[in-house]
Amino acid sequence: MGQADCDSSLMRQKLKADLHRVAERMNLTLSRFDHDSVCLLGQFAEIRAEIKHIEVLASSFYLDCYLSPFTEKFAELTSSVQHLSDRRYGALIVIEREVPLETMIHSGVAVDAKVTHALLESLFIPGAPLHDGAVLIRGNQIVSAGNVLPLSQAEAHERKLGTRHRAALGLSELTDAVVLVVSEETGQASFAVDGALHPINVVETLT
């Protein structure tokens, strides 16, 4: 997986500060463990919540790193995902990187248009002809919509994963593509890469 140089990113600095804060909290909890008679379960719950927040922040940071070398439309993509998430419109957006994807997907309908958030969002409006399929992006172009992706077999036993998430995982297991997913049920945005699914916070990504 290619890596971009994100050392100067403000998000990286924020991530580092958050990690230091959690480390300090964990050290404080550890120091109290042998001396306090109070229950520490509340402290554990707070640490767990902070770590979850950092995971989401880190996912947003690395998503930028993974996509920036392959498309100039990162802002358009994240803006679209935010709007789709707000409306709870299910979405599946594939960004091709170094591995060609033609042989990995069942082609849908050719679009061949520049990436804009308005066009992307219109493709996933519930009831639209192509809203159930995946959009394929190469560079700054929407290549096609309504594509069918290979489903992950490794996650087939996970009932909590819907078809969109299994499709995102399936393609990311076979290629280096990054696949953005928006859950129709919860509005949660995630991305799949290297066979793993990561939650993202598009608001943090846009700042």
Side-chain angles (χ1 to χ4, degrees):
M1 180 162 43
Q3 273 196 299
D5 180 8
C6 297
D7 288 343
S8 62
S9 170
L10 292 176
M11 190 177 290
R12 185 184 184 93
Q13 296 173 26
K14 182 176 182 182
L15 178 59
K16 186 175 181 179
D18 286 350
L19 285 169
H20 278 299
R21 187 177 65 252
V22 171
E24 290 171 0
R25 179 184 284 272
M26 293 180 71
N27 285 332
L28 177 61
T29 301
L30 183 61
S31 68
R32 295 178 60 188
F33 191 75
D34 291 328
H35 304 291
D36 283 0
S37 59
V38 297
C39 178
L40 297 177
L41 292 179
Q43 294 289 321
F44 297 152
E46 291 177 7
I47 291 171
R48 186 164 58 249
E50 287 198 40
I51 291 174
K52 181 64 176 178
H53 168 76
I54 292 172
E55 178 191 3
V56 172
L57 184 63
S59 295
S60 302
F61 165 68
Y62 284 112
L63 178 61
D64 188 0
C65 291
Y66 296 156
L67 292 185
S68 293
F70 298 96
T71 179
E72 298 172 349
K73 298 296 185 177
F74 182 75
E76 295 281 351
L77 289 169
T78 50
S79 177
S80 298
V81 170
Q82 180 182 15
H83 295 157
L84 292 164
S85 175
D86 290 343
R87 294 168 175 79
R88 294 194 179 185
Y89 289 174
L92 196 56
I93 303 170
V94 178
I95 298 90
E96 183 179 84
R97 297 204 291 170
E98 294 181 355
V99 177
L101 300 177
E102 284 85 354
T103 61
M104 298 292 180
I105 64 177
H106 295 288
S107 298
V109 177
V111 176
D112 193 25
K114 287 188 180 297
V115 174
T116 66
H117 69 84
L119 177 54
L120 265 179
E121 292 163 36
S122 70
L123 292 170
F124 293 109
I125 293 174
L130 304 174
H131 83 280
D132 276 334
V135 165
L136 173 61
I137 292 175
R138 180 182 299 127
N140 300 325
Q141 295 287 114
I142 299 176
V143 177
S144 55
N147 298 289
V148 178
L149 309 184
L151 298 182
S152 171
Q153 296 304 311
E155 298 292 336
H157 64 283
E158 294 282 354
R159 292 183 180 179
K160 63 182 179 180
L161 288 180
T163 303
R164 284 190 181 90
H165 292 82
R166 287 180 56 204
L169 284 170
L171 188 64
S172 74
E173 289 167 356
L174 299 172
T175 73
D176 68 344
V178 174
V179 188
L180 304 173
V181 192
V182 178
S183 168
E184 189 173 358
E185 290 75 23
T186 66
Q188 172 64 54
S190 309
F191 75 91
V193 67
D194 285 350
L197 198 63
H198 307 281
I200 57 174
N201 184 331
V202 288
V203 175
E204 294 281 7
T205 305
L206 289 167
T207 56

